[in-house]
């Protein structure tokens, strides 16, 4: 099983040394036993850990085999040579992994690891939107339940939303559930977008005033914003993009000082890879992502909990929406 390569940070250095910028050695000593146990369990069970960019560094760098944003995890879930997938993220991500790997065992360490966006809309709501806008295609953000995906035409992520909207060849689409993502995409395209009023509880807290204060307090800072932030925040930022796009921006542009307006573990994980860059951290934590820990990843592998199951009929319809996205 491949190990994570943390280039350009001395890839052969001991893990504790690579992480000491974000995890002090005494704290790492607390994690080390679980890290080694998880690695042994992965070998024994032919398992892989997929970790979202918002996971804490001891998970992201310590035990994950594949890391990235929701689009990358969706893609890579179809390629893993493993019998067991542990999803270190939130429930809709585990559902998506199961949709794309129906024959594999997919585990989520904590069933309560939810998402405010996913919980903001139901399958009944999608049917209501269709009734109000007959014939208009529905684009569902991956941050939705499998039931919502099953009622939609195609999925998208923050990284490919504009491309998905424009690929449909229509002048009007329904985009749900994130209102701010929909409004930010609408500002970039001629396609008319009808949005749902769902918000991410992490990103909706950022304001344009926050950006101006950051610039005043940290002269020369480069501001990167996630497109789930309100449009006025995106307008104040130097760059807006998915978590993968923000990470790529840091690596390509190498700003001397940068702030990522997203979940704060993202900054810790990127900072490990770029020790020469100063990261300003306005720390908005996702309480759902933080339900995933080394200990419950270990417990999931030891006890096969919690296994993700999906009704086969619903899964077939939802899978089509995800696969249409991946095909593009």
């Amino acid at each position: 099983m491949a190990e994570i390569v943390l280039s350009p940070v001395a890839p052969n250095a001991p893990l504790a040394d690579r992480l000491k910028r974000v995890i002090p050695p005494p704290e790492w000593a607390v994690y080390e036993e679980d890290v080694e146990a998880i690695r042994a369990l992965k070998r024994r069970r032919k398992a892989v850990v997929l970790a979202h960019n918002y996971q804490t560094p001891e998970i992201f760098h310590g035990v994950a085999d594949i890391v990235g944003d929701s689009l990358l995890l969706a893609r890579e879930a179809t390629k893993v040579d493993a019998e067991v997938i542990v999803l270190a993220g939130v429930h809709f991500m585990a559902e998506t992994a199961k949709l794309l790997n129906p024959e594999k065992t997919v585990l989520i360490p904590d069933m309560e690891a939810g998402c405010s966006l996913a919980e903001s809309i139901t399958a009944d709501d999608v049917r209501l939107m269709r009734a109000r806008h007959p014939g208009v295609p529905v684009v569902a953000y991956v941050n939705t339940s499998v039931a919502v995906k099953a009622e939609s035409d195609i999925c998208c992520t923050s990284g490919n939303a504009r491309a998905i909207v424009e690929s449909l060849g229509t002048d009007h689409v329904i985009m749900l559930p994130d209102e701010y993502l929909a409004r930010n995409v609408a500002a970039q395209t001629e396609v008319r977008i009808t949005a749902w009023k769902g918000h991410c509880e992490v990103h909706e807290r950022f304001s344009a005033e926050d950006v101006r204060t950051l610039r005043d307090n940290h002269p020369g800072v480069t501001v990167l914003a996630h497109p789930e932030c309100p449009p006025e925040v995106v307008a104040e930022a130097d760059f807006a993009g998915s978590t993968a796009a923000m990470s790529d921006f840091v690596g390509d542009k190498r700003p001397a000082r940068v702030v990522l307006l997203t979940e704060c573990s993202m900054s810790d994980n990127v900072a490990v890879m770029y020790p020469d860059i100063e990261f300003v951290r306005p720390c908005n934590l996702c309480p759902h992502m933080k339900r995933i820990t080394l200990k419950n990843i270990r417990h999931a592998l030891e006890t096969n909990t919690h296994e993700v199951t999906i009704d086969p009929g619903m899964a077939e319809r939802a899978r089509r929406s995800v696969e249409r996205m991946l095909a593009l």
Side-chain angles (χ1 to χ4, degrees), residues 113-126:
C115 171
S116 60
L117 277 175
E119 293 165 6
S120 74
I121 192 165
T122 67
D124 285 341
D125 295 326
V126 182

Side-chain angles (χ1 to χ4, degrees), residues 47-282:
V48 293
V49 174
L50 276 57
H52 190 266
N53 287 327
Y54 295 160
Q55 289 300 301
T56 49
E58 68 276 9
I59 295 171
F60 187 92
H61 292 291
V63 300
D65 301 283
I66 298 169
V67 296
D69 64 2
S70 52
L71 176 58
L72 186 143
L73 295 183
R75 284 176 172 157
E76 295 302 317
T78 67
K79 304 175 186 177
V80 293
D81 181 18
E83 296 177 4
V84 178
I85 296 172
V86 180
L87 203 297
V90 294
H91 194 266
F92 77 81
M93 297 177 184
E95 282 188 331
T96 304
K98 183 63 177 179
L99 283 176
L100 298 173
N101 295 270
E103 304 306 317
K104 290 185 170 70
T105 297
V106 176
L107 305 176
I108 184 164
D110 190 324
M111 288 291 287
E112 298 302 313
C115 171
S116 60
L117 277 175
E119 293 165 6
S120 74
I121 192 165
T122 67
D124 285 341
D125 295 326
V126 182
R127 289 189 285 268
L128 178 62
M129 293 283 278
R130 284 196 183 278
R132 289 179 174 175
H133 304 279
V136 177
V138 175
V139 178
Y141 197 23
V142 292
N143 300 42
T144 49
S145 68
V146 68
V148 167
K149 289 181 176 71
E151 295 294 332
S152 304
D153 295 295
I154 191 167
C155 289
C156 75
T157 71
S158 59
N160 66 15
R162 177 182 175 183
I164 294 294
V165 165
E166 294 181 343
S167 76
L168 297 174
T170 181
D171 61 358
H172 182 197
V173 302
I174 296 166
M175 190 173 176
L176 49 86
D178 192 292
E179 177 193 9
Y180 295 148
L181 177 63
R183 287 170 58 189
N184 286 320
V185 172
Q188 304 169 16
T189 181
E190 297 299 315
V191 179
R192 181 162 65 95
I193 296 177
T194 296
W196 184 257
K197 204 172 180 64
H199 300 139
C200 167
E201 63 189 276
V202 171
H203 294 102
E204 71 176 344
R205 298 204 302 269
F206 291 111
S207 69
E209 180 61 31
D210 291 336
V211 180
R212 292 189 286 270
T213 300
L214 284 164
R215 293 194 191 280
D216 289 342
N217 293 339
H218 305 277
V221 70
T222 298
V223 180
L224 312 185
H226 194 281
E228 290 176 17
C229 292
E232 58 270 23
V233 173
V234 170
E236 292 274 352
D238 298 296
F239 174 81
S242 67
T243 56
M246 285 192 280
S247 182
D248 289 345
F249 183 100
V250 173
D252 293 342
K253 304 297 184 182
R254 306 302 284 265
R257 175 181 289 173
V258 68
V259 59
L260 310 184
L261 298 183
T262 189
E263 214 274 352
C264 68
S265 288
M266 172 83 180
S267 294
D268 288 338
N269 292 328
V270 179
V272 170
M273 296 184 282
Y274 303 106
D276 55 318
I277 295 174
E278 178 187 349
F279 285 78
V280 178
R281 291 175 171 84

